[in-house]
Amino acid sequence: MTGLTAAERKVLDWIAGERAAIIGLIETLVNTDSGSLDKAGVDAAGAHIRTFLHQRGIASDVVPNARYGDGIRATVAGSGVGTILLMGHRDTVYTRGEAARRPFRVAGGRGSGPGCCDMKAGLAMNALVLAAFAQFGAPGPLVGLFTADEEIGSPSSKALIEQEARRARAVFNAEPGRPNGGVVTGRKGGVFMRLDVTGKAAHAGNDRADGVSAIEEIARKVVELHRLTDRERGVTYNVGTIAGGEVVNMVAPSAAAALDFRYIHPADRGAGMAEIERIVAHSHLPGARAKLEITGEFKPLVAGEESKRLYALYAACARDLGQDVREEFAGGCADSGFAASVGAPTICGVGPIGGRAHSPDEYLEVDTVIPRAQALALSVMRLG
Ligand SMILES: [Zn+2]
């Protein structure tokens, strides 16, 4: 550690002393199932965070939601204009029972368990940094958002994130740090859609000519959609699921597919959607009909000048702590895109380092939890 003031050292040392408490919170959170559609589970994970914050004198309020988990907003008062926003999502991609099958474990410096790096460690890190400033005084008003449903496109959290980002002068999203220490300054935008095709049922032997195969129609559309991909421009189309038909000897009356469309440049969204709509509207088979529904959407994280300055500040802080940080672009979408899209200086992937998210091999580099918390805390102090 170089070039630190005594006041900075005091905060960073305090954070280092909380290692056991924070690993304990990560363990509790990983062992609490919180799939996006499991409201009770996402709320239970939220209750653990609120208890941790409450014990450290931090007020938090609940933004209720009937369908998804409630939003949780914690505040640490400080003087100054504009808040500093620390964000993270409590939901995971796993259904109930996963935590019991694979509880949090640490072996060889690596933690494992559902959502360990994506992003329960990031939530715990944010809670710890809020606690540090509740203890020593915040350089400006701090807001911690612990949201409910990022893994399904944040249908309930998007508005809350945008609202808090509008009054923020800096936003840090604690998605996992990249395996090489990278912090994410750019992300793709993504539109998730459901395509439904209707045909006409008929006996496959007796009345084949009367039928309209929804399976054939959707298959042709899938080929056309995939062909739109332009890798050089970062525009991709992927049909991730497909289903259709009733039985082998019936012409399929219906079929459905889920489509994932991603882009880098905001202007490519309109052009890409127009192409998709053209393909959906054109029937290859007379009598087939198709309809498209957007089921979720993320804005791209585009690094503007202010976000670049925020990254530079973070990187300088990390370097002063002897950490190697680099800037990365990610094809994955995240809530940081919503914050950046309302103009807030935003960086993402500042959470503890891990990898292989959304798989049984997901891991957390346990020894990065405290250093990443310190880099974040130092950045917050120097923003003050
Ligand atoms: Zn995540």
Side-chain angles (χ1 to χ4, degrees):
M1 295 193 188
T2 55
L4 300 178
T5 67
E8 287 170 348
R9 257 175 214 283
K10 208 157 111 186
V11 173
L12 301 182
D13 288 346
W14 182 87
I15 286 174
E18 293 294 304
R19 184 186 154 104
I22 216 62
I23 303 294
L25 178 59
I26 294 171
E27 176 167 16
T28 301
L29 291 173
V30 170
N31 290 345
T32 304
D33 280 318
S34 60
S36 309
L37 301 177
D38 178 359
K39 174 174 167 61
V42 175
D43 285 341
H48 290 308
I49 292 166
R50 291 192 79 206
T51 300
F52 177 93
L53 294 171
H54 180 76
Q55 286 166 348
R56 285 152 183 85
I58 299 167
S60 62
D61 63 305
V62 169
V63 183
N65 190 281
R67 185 166 171 197
Y68 303 106
D70 299 331
I72 293 173
R73 175 175 39 208
T75 46
V76 177
S79 55
V81 187
T83 56
I84 298 169
L85 176 60
L86 311 183
M87 333 198 282
H89 63 85
R90 289 157 18 229
D91 62 321
T92 70
V93 295
Y94 302 100
T95 49
R96 195 157 273 239
E98 190 70 12
R101 280 190 290 277
R102 298 192 292 119
F104 184 71
R105 260 194 203 104
V106 180
R110 282 192 167 181
S112 62
C116 61
C117 80
D118 183 16
M119 55 180 289
K120 289 178 165 176
L123 298 175
M125 179 193 77
N126 281 354
L128 176 62
V129 169
L130 292 172
F133 291 114
Q135 172 96 1
F136 294 98
L142 296 181
V143 174
L145 273 189
F146 301 87
T147 59
D149 49 6
E150 190 266 355
E151 299 292 2
I152 52 169
S154 295
S156 80
S157 309
K158 177 176 180 274
L160 178 61
I161 292 165
E162 288 174 345
Q163 177 196 329
E164 288 302 328
R166 273 194 194 97
R167 62 191 189 107
R169 62 197 171 95
V171 178
F172 296 94
N173 194 19
E175 286 283 352
R178 315 310 271 186
N180 64 1
V183 164
V184 177
T185 53
R187 284 186 183 274
K188 282 189 174 180
V191 187
F192 310 126
M193 286 159 273
R194 179 185 162 93
L195 171 63
D196 280 288
V197 174
T198 312
K200 186 169 174 248
H203 191 291
N206 298 329
D207 307 314
R208 176 66 185 87
D210 292 342
V212 178
S213 170
I215 287 180
E216 180 173 341
E217 181 66 33
I218 209 165
R220 293 198 190 197
K221 283 178 164 37
V222 169
V223 173
E224 286 182 297
L225 289 165
H226 278 191
R227 211 177 272 146
L228 295 173
T229 291
D230 181 348
R231 283 212 178 76
E232 244 162 65
R233 218 177 146 67
V235 177
T236 61
Y237 300 76
N238 180 62
V239 174
T241 70
I242 189 160
E246 308 274 332
V247 287
V248 67
N249 54 356
M250 184 199 292
V251 177
S254 63
L259 171 65
D260 173 311
F261 160 50
R262 307 224 176 184
Y263 59 95
I264 296 171
H265 310 288
D268 287 345
R269 184 194 180 280
M273 287 304 295
E275 290 285 279
I276 293 167
E277 279 156 18
R278 180 182 59 75
I279 289 167
V280 170
H282 172 253
S283 298
H284 296 271
L285 306 181
R289 280 174 294 119
K291 83 176 187 351
L292 186 74
E293 185 197 348
I294 293 179
T295 53
E297 175 156 12
F298 281 108
K299 299 273 181 60
L301 173 59
V302 183
E305 281 313 311
E306 288 194 313
S307 293
K308 286 181 186 156
R309 273 201 291 279
L310 183 60
Y311 171 75
L313 172 105
Y314 179 90
C317 291
R319 273 194 301 275
D320 282 356
L321 298 175
Q323 299 172 21
D324 187 23
V325 177
R326 61 197 80 195
E327 203 174 352
E328 272 197 42
F329 183 87
C333 301
D335 284 331
S336 44
F338 296 129
S341 71
V342 299
T346 303
I347 60 173
C348 195
V350 299
I353 291 169
R356 302 204 191 281
H358 301 198
S359 89
D361 302 326
E362 179 179 6
Y363 66 90
L364 166 71
E365 301 283 5
V366 173
D367 288 341
T368 67
V369 174
I370 293 300
R372 294 290 259 202
Q374 290 173 323
L376 177 59
L378 188 57
S379 302
V380 168
M381 285 188 270
R382 290 188 179 171
L383 272 167

